[in-house]
Amino acid sequence: MALKNSVFPSRPESLALPVEEKGEGEEVEVATETTASTGVFNLSEELGHVVTTETVPSPPTSAKVNRSFQAKLAEREAKANQPRKKTQGTEKERGRFGWARARRKRQRYVEKNGRCNVQHGNMRETYRYLTDIFTTLVDLNWRCSLFVFVMAYAVTWLFFGAIWYLIAYCRGDLDHLEDQTWTPCVNNVNGFISAFLFSIETETTIGYGHRVITDQCPVGTMLLLLQAILGSMVNAFMVGCMFVKISQPNKRAETLVFSKHAVISLRDDKLCLMFRVGDLRSSHIVGANMRAKLIKSKQTQEGEFIPLDQTDISVGFETGDDRLFLVSPLVISHEIDVHSPFWDMSHTQLEKEDFEIVVILEGMVEATGMTCQARSSYLAEEVLWGHRFSPMMSLAEGFFDVDYGAFHHTFEVDTPSCSARELSLAAARLDAHLYWSISSRLDEEPTLVNQPTKQPDSGSANSKGGEPTFTVGEMTDIQEQPGLGELNGSVATDQSESEA
């Protein structure tokens, strides 16, 4: 009896199936009737109902234990469900029980401006950056580069200025400043500031003439030679870094633009993936070359997961169409064939795919002769199915006018929503149907036969000599010849048609 009264009724009423009980009050009956009629189970509403119905007066002492257990369980479930209620009001997509479902956003591998969105971490061999210190300084941002540039000169000036001051202090030149018979190492050096100024004049070869080294100081002569050599090296190194950084060809890529969207439409009855590229400058890119990569994670047949796998997308490498003469904006086309990674992709599947297309334009800058590379990318939602780029070139008086206002514009065209494989199979079925229908109709058509000059006795009296007659289902001598008639189901040649 103890188990019967305490264990079984101890589960919450919100989780129990609706039963016919009349002692629970009107609110419980309404809730059970609503759940049974709609058939939808809302956990949050039911748990909230349990909390509110705890104020009902408790029956006997044996039921008090059950009510307290139900109240604790209901409060625990209600607290656990509170953050879920907050997310339900902000998100649009909901799960099976009404909870919010977070939609994962595709992370770009390459940004639209060409910056690669990859950060290297946990690198322990950082000393390798110092082995190529020149490239390291060139790769720094401008703030760090200017800081290194200023500190390189300031440190060398302070370092040699301190040495010049130390020489003057050790020789006693600072103690004989008013002695006209004393020959110092450097004239007119009376403190650290004057020694620092002499160091700047020596390294930058200014030579004002007020502070000069004398021939009575061999140590100063050696230091002067050392500072002149090291100063030239610092000048060459830092000026070279700044020159390379200023003339970097990646700034030239800022005037190489790609269309915001890629499109898929028919070209010569074949599905093609297309995007547009243009050069805003009048100086051209020499030897421009276009490449494209498909970035998509995949899993091999052995179960190996390859994140961000790179697959080549042909943009005319076999035919030489990837080598561009980029004088005006061009539309780069990728024919979706058997070797294309989009061979089995339809319009419906495109909306569900998760991939990224990286396009790379390489060439040599005509003004500087340095190699330049421009990059961009297209996500799956940036590929428009059934669109085509708007024309942007017109013929003006004496020249071709390019309207860059229509560079990113597209318009819809009639495009089948099936995949390239299905389109190819449909075209093959149509060709086969036409092929066999034509051959079968030619077999059933009446054949023209010339009547001989001498009419046989069984000939018709109404027929005249030399007039042609039509016979159905007979094969003439011309059609029986292999080279003139129908051979292996093929259509008759022109000779048989002319004689007919």
Side-chain angles (χ1 to χ4, degrees), residues 32-107:
T32 53
E33 289 177 0
T34 305
T35 306
S37 61
T38 58
V40 179
F41 180 72
N42 194 335
L43 182 59
S44 60
E45 295 179 358
E46 291 294 321
L47 289 176
H49 178 71
V50 172
V51 177
T52 54
T53 53
E54 290 305 322
T55 56
V56 179
S58 53
T61 12
S62 60
K64 288 183 181 180
V65 180
N66 300 336
R67 284 293 182 181
S68 62
F69 177 77
Q70 294 174 3
K72 292 180 180 179
L73 182 60
E75 291 176 0
R76 187 184 304 171
E77 294 291 340
K79 291 180 180 179
N81 199 31
Q82 283 179 358
R84 295 174 184 173
K85 290 182 180 179
K86 293 180 181 179
T87 56
Q88 289 176 5
T90 57
E91 299 289 340
K92 295 182 180 180
E93 296 186 1
R94 299 182 182 275
R96 183 178 179 182
F97 295 101
W99 297 343
R101 179 185 298 172
R103 185 176 182 179
R104 186 174 62 88
K105 185 180 179 181
R106 169 73 183 185
Q107 182 66 46

Side-chain angles (χ1 to χ4, degrees), residues 38-39 73 75 104 131 138 144 169 172 185 197 219 231 234 285 301 333 339:
T38 58
L73 182 60
E75 291 176 0
R104 186 174 62 88
T131 57
V138 171
C144 297
Y169 179 79
C185 183
L197 293 176
V219 178
V234 171
I285 297 295
Q301 297 179 0
S333 176
H339 305 288

Side-chain angles (χ1 to χ4, degrees), residues 445-499:
E445 285 181 356
T447 307
L448 184 62
V449 181
N450 291 327
Q451 188 176 3
T453 56
K454 294 182 180 180
Q455 296 180 0
D457 297 338
S458 61
S460 174
N462 297 329
S463 62
K464 299 180 180 181
E467 293 183 358
T469 59
F470 290 91
T471 59
V472 180
E474 294 182 2
M475 299 295 293
T476 63
D477 295 338
I478 297 176
Q479 291 179 340
E480 291 177 355
Q481 296 178 3
L484 301 177
E486 184 178 359
L487 180 61
N488 296 330
S490 62
V491 185
T493 61
D494 297 335
Q495 182 177 359
S496 62
E497 292 177 359
S498 61
E499 294 183 3

Side-chain angles (χ1 to χ4, degrees), residues 398-416:
F399 60 92
F400 293 94
D401 185 20
V402 178
D403 181 17
Y404 274 94
F407 184 81
H408 302 285
H409 291 178
T410 61
F411 61 95
E412 295 185 5
V413 292
D414 293 335
T415 305

Side-chain angles (χ1 to χ4, degrees), residues 130-157:
L130 299 178
T131 57
D132 190 10
I133 187 64
F134 185 81
T135 307
T136 303
L137 294 177
V138 171
D139 290 340
L140 293 176
N141 53 24
W142 275 105
R143 185 178 301 176
C144 297
S145 297
L146 292 177
F147 178 77
V148 172
F149 184 82
V150 172
M151 291 302 297
Y153 285 102
V155 169
T156 53
W157 293 340

Side-chain angles (χ1 to χ4, degrees), residues 185-334:
C185 183
V186 180
N187 292 329
N188 300 317
V189 173
N190 52 11
F192 179 76
I193 300 299
S194 58
F196 176 70
L197 293 176
F198 178 72
S199 174
I200 296 176
E201 295 175 11
T202 302
E203 188 167 342
T204 57
T205 64
I206 295 177
Y208 290 112
H210 183 65
R211 301 178 184 87
V212 292
I213 189 172
T214 61
D215 55 356
Q216 300 297 323
C217 183
V219 178
T221 305
M222 298 298 296
L223 182 61
L224 180 64
L225 295 176
L226 180 62
Q227 185 175 3
I229 295 172
L230 292 179
S232 300
M233 295 176 61
V234 171
N235 288 333
F237 190 82
M238 298 309 301
V239 173
C241 287
M242 296 302 295
F243 175 77
V244 172
K245 191 170 183 64
I246 292 173
S247 61
Q248 276 185 335
N250 55 4
K251 301 302 179 183
R252 177 65 175 87
E254 298 294 334
T255 53
L256 297 175
V257 291
F258 295 88
S259 58
K260 294 181 180 179
H261 297 88
V263 298
I264 294 179
S265 60
L266 288 176
R267 263 195 177 186
D268 298 331
D269 295 334
K270 294 182 180 179
L271 283 177
C272 295
L273 172 70
M274 293 171 286
F275 57 92
R276 181 179 276 171
V277 60
D279 188 4
L280 301 180
R281 288 187 178 272
S282 58
S283 60
H284 310 307
I285 297 295
V286 181
N289 185 22
M290 177 62 67
R291 294 186 294 123
K293 292 280 187 180
L294 176 65
I295 309 298
K296 182 180 179 181
S297 302
K298 73 172 186 179
Q299 188 172 5
T300 61
Q301 297 179 0
E302 294 78 12
E304 179 186 4
F305 179 74
I306 304 177
L308 301 178
D309 182 61
Q310 300 183 8
T311 306
D312 283 332
I313 300 176
S314 177
V315 289
F317 177 76
E318 297 81 4
T319 59
D321 294 337
D322 60 332
R323 295 184 289 272
L324 310 178
F325 183 54
L326 196 59
V327 179
S328 60
L330 299 176
V331 176
I332 310 301
S333 176
H334 161 66

